[in-house]
Amino acid sequence: MNPYPARSRASRPLRWSSVTRRQKAWGRLALLILLLVLLFDWNWFKGPLERRVEAATGREFRIEGDLDVDWTWFQPTVIADGVVLGNADWAEEREMLRVDHAEVDLRLWSLFRGDPHLPAVRLTTPVLRLARNDAGQANWNFREDEPRAEATQFPRIDQLWVSDGQFHLVEAKFRTDLSVAVRSGEAPADGGLAPLLLNGDGRYRGNDFQLQGRVDSPLELVDQANRFRIDLVANAGSTRARAFGGLSAPLQLQDFNLGFELSGDDMAQLYPLLGLAIPRTSRYDLEGRLSRTGAVWSYTDMSGTVGDSDLAGDVSVDSAPERSFLRADLVSRRLDFDDLAGFIGGTPQVGEGNREAQVTPSNRFFPERPYDLSKLRSMDADVRLRAERVTSPTLPLESMDAHLKLVDGDLRLDPMVLGLAGGDLRSRVRLDSRQDPIAAEIDLRARRLELPKLVPKGAPESAGRVGGRIQISGRGNSVASLLGTANGDIGVAMGRGRISNLTLELAGLDIAEALRFLIGKDKVVPVRCGFADFAVADGVMTAREFAFDTTDTLLLAEGSIDLGDESLDLLLKPRPKDISPFSLRSPLRVRGTLRDPTIRPQGGPLALRGAVAAALYSLAPPAALLALVETGPGEDAECSFAARRAATGGEAKATGEADARSTKRGEAKDG
């Protein structure tokens, strides 16, 4: 009996001599395959691969360098150098895409399942050029001449890494040429896709442009359920914009709702960037939500500041019509009226929140800056602005409600209601820029303006209400030029009230009483009536009637104001009703300009009295005072046409004409 049990077949060591013939054959085959894989020239596949891509895109495709495989059994890496995709036939650049070095990890068994899986794609120095020509053709649209095929199944890619990339965008029609450096950022800790970091510059719509920020990996675009997140900051000159949020179709810029911040020195600078014809403004800083539906871009829940004013509301732009259509509904709790100066051709002044650059001073009273006819004709608009409180250093403004419509170059401000000095100023303005120069119609009505609030420094002891109306038309491409050709009527009237005698006496050069008021207490003088009626012809205002009647003084005037050169030629004739030892109550000549008027005594009787006074003063000062004694009895001016004509020495015209003029001025007075 054998003391050692027999060894089982399974426990015997495997010897080559014991391997079956079939096993030996499989081993030799595997070794051969391994040698073939290691020694095979993968460049053989370049031709078939290039033809396959060209057939799918209709563009030239080539691999200029080597095609190789870094082999592992389950996850080989395909390596290619000099990968080039051709551009559209009409493009200036012949290459749309060039990648100096590309590595693609491949799950081998996924090929047999028909579901290619790429764990990682690494691109070194890729350059992508996107372009759109004047006809609207985009080079990222392939095979436009053929029916759209069924959607191609893209391989699943887990991660994309980009280093030293470049992205170029050219749109000749919009004078846009951008060049942006692209690289991958750090992948999220949860294993998500690495974002792309952007930093570049160029020209956008002809303006210098800089861009910084981050966007999601392009792999997010494969799943249309994912929103493509962006956070970009763009600068064009002094204009800065930031967009952040998600897009579902970023290349088409459709169906998105982004946070959007916009700031800059002047909204007029948005015209070359966005095509929005906005007048000059102060510095602005806004934020809101930017969205797009079809051809309508909307900026909703907008809030921020413009100069020293706060602003909120909704804005939309419809780019589908031939002329873009701007619609806005805006509100302000506190509006600095100076921030609207650009809307009348002026320039917002320097102040807290306004531009720091100094404004070139002008000796003109009316704005001379011409309206840009091309801007007025480039878009349509419907804008409403309501301000709860309005501030102005020169006008006693209180509130505002304005509605502006612009259709085919025909601008109408109808109405614009200003709360002013306790009353209101209602305006209707039309500027027809379809004509060159612009044809303008202006209709302003002032009602129930309180006299104490109209005085710049206030006059609490004064009382009374003022009304008036301006109805003129003219032609010109600026406020100054259209007023220089104006025709129409201007009138203002005041009913019974009270006024500070100090102001009136100073206007009449009543030295004795004025000095007494300056060192003592002012007194209040009752006002019986005040009115001014001007005819406007070819830019010249000619006084038809002018009188201001108080219990102390009757002030009459005649002459003209040239709105074209802004020159004054008025003669004021104070008629005192009291006696003052220092009175210089001869007529006063008002000349100079609206911005720099001069008031001097009229020559003749006053000059003679002054000469006599100077001669007497050389003899004895007290005697010189005697030459200035004013004895004149001025008469009261009744608030009727005939009495006013009599007060100026003229004769009343026919009763019918008198009643007509009285009725006309009465309307302004009732305001």
Side-chain angles (χ1 to χ4, degrees):
M1 181 176 181
N2 188 355
Y4 302 101
R7 184 180 298 177
S8 66
R9 182 179 297 271
S11 62
R12 296 175 183 175
L14 182 62
R15 297 177 181 177
W16 180 253
S17 59
S18 65
V19 175
T20 65
R21 186 173 299 175
R22 177 176 294 181
Q23 289 174 328
K24 291 179 180 179
W26 279 111
R28 293 188 185 100
L29 179 61
L31 181 60
L32 178 62
I33 293 175
L34 178 59
L35 291 174
L36 288 174
V37 169
L38 295 177
L39 301 176
F40 182 75
D41 184 1
W42 293 96
N43 288 317
W44 183 88
F45 286 102
K46 287 170 55 175
L49 181 59
E50 290 170 348
R51 290 189 292 271
R52 181 73 178 270
V53 175
E54 288 177 355
T57 63
R59 306 276 179 85
E60 178 188 6
F61 178 77
R62 65 183 183 273
I63 301 175
E64 296 178 339
D66 289 333
L67 178 64
D68 199 1
V69 175
D70 186 2
W71 185 264
T72 62
W73 280 112
F74 301 105
Q75 187 170 302
T77 299
V78 179
I79 303 171
D81 293 327
V83 179
V84 177
L85 177 64
N87 217 336
D89 294 338
W90 48 262
E92 293 183 2
E93 297 286 345
R94 302 316 308 158
E95 298 175 358
M96 177 180 177
L97 174 66
R98 170 179 283 272
V99 181
D100 285 353
H101 183 77
E103 297 182 1
V104 180
D105 294 344
L106 174 64
R107 289 285 172 85
L108 188 60
W109 296 113
S110 66
L111 297 177
F112 298 101
R113 296 194 305 266
D115 180 21
H117 180 195
L118 311 180
V121 174
R122 293 174 289 275
L123 305 178
T124 303
T125 321
V127 178
L128 175 64
R129 295 181 175 89
L130 300 183
R132 196 198 310 262
N133 62 15
D134 293 343
Q137 294 175 300
N139 70 338
W140 57 84
N141 292 329
F142 300 96
R143 307 302 295 262
E144 295 180 345
D145 56 334
E146 296 183 1
R148 185 176 298 275
E150 295 182 1
T152 303
Q153 181 180 0
F154 289 94
R156 180 159 59 96
I157 304 175
D158 293 342
Q159 193 63 270
L160 172 67
W161 298 101
V162 176
S163 61
D164 296 328
Q166 287 287 328
F167 167 74
H168 298 278
L169 174 64
V170 176
E171 288 191 276
K173 181 178 180 180
F174 299 107
R175 297 176 298 157
T176 296
D177 189 345
L178 304 179
S179 180
V180 181
V182 183
R183 63 181 179 86
S184 293
E186 295 184 3
D190 60 2
L193 296 172
L196 295 182
L197 307 182
L198 312 179
N199 188 354
D201 56 18
R203 296 187 69 79
Y204 176 74
R205 293 182 179 263
N207 296 266
D208 291 339
F209 186 85
Q210 296 84 39
L211 179 70
Q212 303 86 32
R214 63 170 298 282
V215 299
D216 273 350
S217 169
L219 300 179
E220 296 284 4
L221 301 175
V222 176
D223 188 352
Q224 296 183 358
N226 294 336
R227 298 189 73 82
F228 189 77
R229 294 167 300 172
I230 68 171
D231 190 349
L232 299 173
V233 176
N235 295 273
S238 65
T239 303
R240 177 186 183 275
R242 180 192 175 209
F244 54 95
L247 303 89
S248 60
L251 293 180
Q252 287 75 34
L253 288 178
Q254 293 281 6
D255 185 24
F256 63 85
N257 192 317
L258 301 173
F260 191 71
E261 300 171 356
L262 187 64
S263 61
D265 286 345
D266 187 348
M267 286 191 184
Q269 297 172 0
L270 295 177
Y271 180 69
L273 297 173
L274 304 178
L276 300 180
I278 301 175
R280 300 187 68 186
T281 69
S282 303
R283 178 166 183 81
Y284 61 95
D285 193 345
L286 307 172
E287 62 180 17
R289 303 295 302 179
L290 180 67
S291 61
R292 181 183 179 186
T293 303
V296 179
W297 295 71
S298 300
Y299 194 26
T300 55
D301 298 329
M302 182 268 294
S303 63
T305 60
V306 179
D308 296 323
S309 308
D310 66 84
L311 194 65
D314 298 326
V315 181
S316 66
V317 178
D318 187 353
S319 59
E322 180 181 356
R323 293 181 307 277
S324 297
F325 181 75
L326 170 69
R327 184 185 301 275
D329 189 0
L330 307 173
V331 295
S332 175
R333 293 187 301 273
R334 179 185 179 277
L335 176 68
D336 185 346
F337 196 67
D338 173 68
D339 293 327
L340 299 178
F343 287 81
I344 59 172
T347 301
Q349 298 298 311
V350 177
E352 180 183 355
N354 291 2
R355 291 193 300 270
E356 297 180 358
Q358 295 294 324
V359 178
T360 303
S362 172
N363 59 357
R364 299 279 293 185
F365 184 81
F366 298 118
E368 294 181 287
R369 180 182 298 275
Y371 292 108
D372 190 329
L373 298 185
S374 62
K375 287 185 178 181
L376 288 173
R377 299 166 181 169
S378 67
M379 61 178 286
D380 295 338
D382 187 340
V383 179
R384 186 180 182 189
L385 173 60
R386 288 163 290 174
E388 298 176 6
R389 178 188 172 203
V390 181
T391 61
S392 171
T394 57
L395 297 173
L397 295 171
E398 298 162 354
S399 62
M400 186 178 78
D401 188 348
H403 191 183
L404 180 148
K405 289 186 177 182
L406 176 61
V407 179
D408 191 19
D410 187 7
L411 185 149
R412 296 173 186 260
L413 193 61
D414 186 7
M416 182 176 78
V417 181
L418 291 171
L420 176 65
D424 62 71
L425 176 64
R426 295 178 177 269
S427 308
R428 288 183 173 86
V429 179
R430 180 183 181 186
L431 300 177
D432 188 354
S433 68
R434 295 171 297 184
Q435 305 182 49
D436 189 5
I438 294 173
E441 298 176 3
I442 302 174
D443 186 352
L444 284 73
R445 295 190 182 192
R447 301 177 64 251
R448 306 176 66 84
L449 308 185
E450 298 178 11
L451 182 62
K453 296 181 179 180
L454 289 173
V455 179
K457 295 184 179 181
E461 296 184 351
S462 299
R465 288 177 174 172
V466 179
R469 185 168 187 180
I470 299 175
Q471 285 183 297
I472 58 174
S473 61
R475 295 178 67 90
N477 291 336
S478 68
V479 173
S481 61
L482 68 87
L483 289 177
T485 64
N487 296 283
D489 300 282
I490 297 177
V492 62
M494 174 183 173
R496 292 184 178 274
R498 302 187 304 274
I499 191 170
S500 165
N501 197 32
L502 173 59
T503 302
L504 189 64
E505 296 291 348
L506 286 173
L509 295 184
D510 196 329
I511 299 174
E513 292 194 23
L515 289 176
R516 178 170 59 83
F517 292 149
L518 287 173
I519 62 175
K521 184 179 180 181
D522 189 8
K523 70 175 182 178
V524 175
V525 176
V527 176
R528 303 185 69 251
C529 180
F531 52 86
D533 182 18
F534 289 89
V536 185
D538 295 328
V540 178
M541 294 174 54
T542 302
R544 290 187 291 227
E545 308 290 342
F546 189 109
F548 191 78
D549 186 19
T550 74
T551 56
D552 286 358
T553 304
L554 171 62
L555 179 64
L556 305 174
E558 61 185 31
S560 63
I561 302 173
D562 192 327
L563 300 177
D565 59 18
E566 300 183 353
S567 62
L568 304 173
D569 186 10
L570 296 172
L571 183 64
L572 304 182
K573 297 180 286 187
R575 304 289 178 83
K577 301 177 183 179
D578 57 0
I579 298 177
S580 170
F582 282 91
S583 176
L584 300 177
R585 294 297 186 95
S586 289
L588 304 174
R589 179 63 68 178
V590 181
R591 284 189 172 143
T593 64
L594 291 172
R595 183 171 288 278
D596 186 22
T598 60
I599 304 177
R600 292 186 175 85
Q602 174 75 3
L606 180 59
L608 179 61
R609 274 196 289 175
V612 172
L616 294 175
Y617 181 78
S618 63
L619 300 175
L625 300 180
L626 299 178
L628 299 178
V629 173
E630 175 64 67
T631 60
E635 299 180 358
D636 289 341
E638 299 294 337
C639 292
S640 64
F641 175 75
R644 291 199 297 273
R645 293 287 291 173
T648 60
E651 296 181 357
K653 295 185 179 180
T655 303
E657 180 182 355
D659 292 339
R661 288 182 177 244
S662 179
T663 301
K664 177 179 178 181
R665 285 188 295 271
E667 292 177 355
K669 171 186 170 185
D670 291 340

